Amino acid sequence: MTPRLALYSDQQALGNPVLDARLLRLIGKSSPRIAYFASSAETNRQYFETARAYYADRGVSLDFYVGPDSQNIGDLTATALQCDAVHLSGGNTYGFLRWLQQHGLLPELRKYVVQGGVLIGVSAGAILMSPNISTAALCGDAPDPLLTDHTSLGLTQFHFLPHFTPTSVPDSLWKPLKDANEPVYACADGGGIIVDAGTVELYGQVEILNGGA
């Protein structure tokens, strides 16, 4: 089955009702349930609760929190992956990838998508859908010295760059992608991408950049 993905630059700062409506059609349930994977520990669940309110306004239930501070992550993940969609939060992409690697969750998330689950990524969560997290440095994430393998979910054939403005990325930071000559979908806040049935749909301000350009 081809992946069903929603990649947001920033889901809440600048809303996009057209993109949100398309996400609901992508999930295809009248009252969908979504699980939330946090990029880092959320002691007071602040970002989870913000996301829960956001989805509730759209008739969607955000039911499960899974993060590096969760107990019994394996059992909790198995339950979370019964949901209609999984939300990968924003945050530091390097740290997010490392904790997913540590708990063996990358293959679990890939399997979930292959079996028909919808994956939603916001900022860091969207970058994780790319072949690797090369664009994380371009949007200001601080590298994690303990992370040595930058391979991510590999669900798209392009890289995703959130929070993009034409002057936001110094030329020097483009070097890895220039050398690789791989396509980059650079997305301004308020925009996003839907991947469905092998097609890539662009919403809001999205520029398709060649890594060598």
Side-chain angles (χ1 to χ4, degrees):
M1 180 175 288
T2 55
R4 294 189 295 158
L5 313 172
L7 297 84
Y8 284 78
S9 175
D10 188 316
Q11 202 174 45
Q12 300 183 40
L14 294 171
N16 190 321
V18 176
L19 178 56
D20 290 341
R22 180 64 180 93
L23 169 61
L24 293 180
R25 295 197 305 275
L26 184 70
I27 297 172
K29 298 285 184 71
S30 56
S31 300
R33 296 162 63 239
I34 298 180
Y36 176 98
F37 280 68
S39 60
S40 59
E42 292 187 19
T43 332
N44 58 7
R45 303 291 191 266
Q46 174 185 350
Y47 299 109
F48 171 73
E49 292 299 340
T50 301
R52 173 183 272 176
Y54 177 87
Y55 282 116
D57 286 344
R58 289 149 183 84
V60 178
S61 174
L62 192 67
D63 283 345
F64 295 101
Y65 170 94
V66 185
D69 53 338
S70 296
Q71 301 296 317
N72 301 317
I73 287 177
D75 293 341
L76 190 56
T77 296
T79 303
L81 295 184
Q82 302 293 320
C83 288
D84 303 303
V86 165
H87 173 109
L88 303 179
S89 80
N92 183 287
T93 315
Y94 297 97
F96 201 171
L97 178 58
R98 184 161 72 89
W99 95 255
L100 292 176
Q101 287 177 349
Q102 284 177 325
H103 293 277
L105 296 186
L106 293 179
E108 293 296 321
L109 289 168
R110 289 190 196 102
K111 180 181 176 183
Y112 171 78
V113 171
V114 167
Q115 292 179 341
V118 173
L119 198 60
I120 306 161
V122 177
S123 189
I127 291 174
L128 286 173
M129 298 187 199
S130 303
N132 58 60
I133 60 168
S134 299
T135 58
L138 277 63
C139 59
D141 283 1
D144 184 335
L146 298 178
L147 180 70
T148 56
D149 182 359
H150 290 183
T151 305
S152 46
L153 288 165
L155 297 171
T156 68
Q157 296 181 345
F158 57 84
H159 295 276
F160 184 76
L161 175 59
H163 318 303
F164 178 74
T165 65
T167 58
S168 63
V169 182
D171 187 65
S172 59
L173 291 181
W174 277 105
K175 186 175 184 342
L177 290 170
K178 283 181 178 177
D179 292 346
N181 199 32
E182 295 173 335
V184 179
Y185 283 58
C187 186
D189 287 345
I193 298 171
I194 295 288
V195 177
D196 184 23
T199 64
V200 178
E201 306 168 14
L202 309 182
Y203 294 83
Q205 296 180 4
V206 184
E207 295 189 38
I208 305 174
L209 309 175
N210 183 281

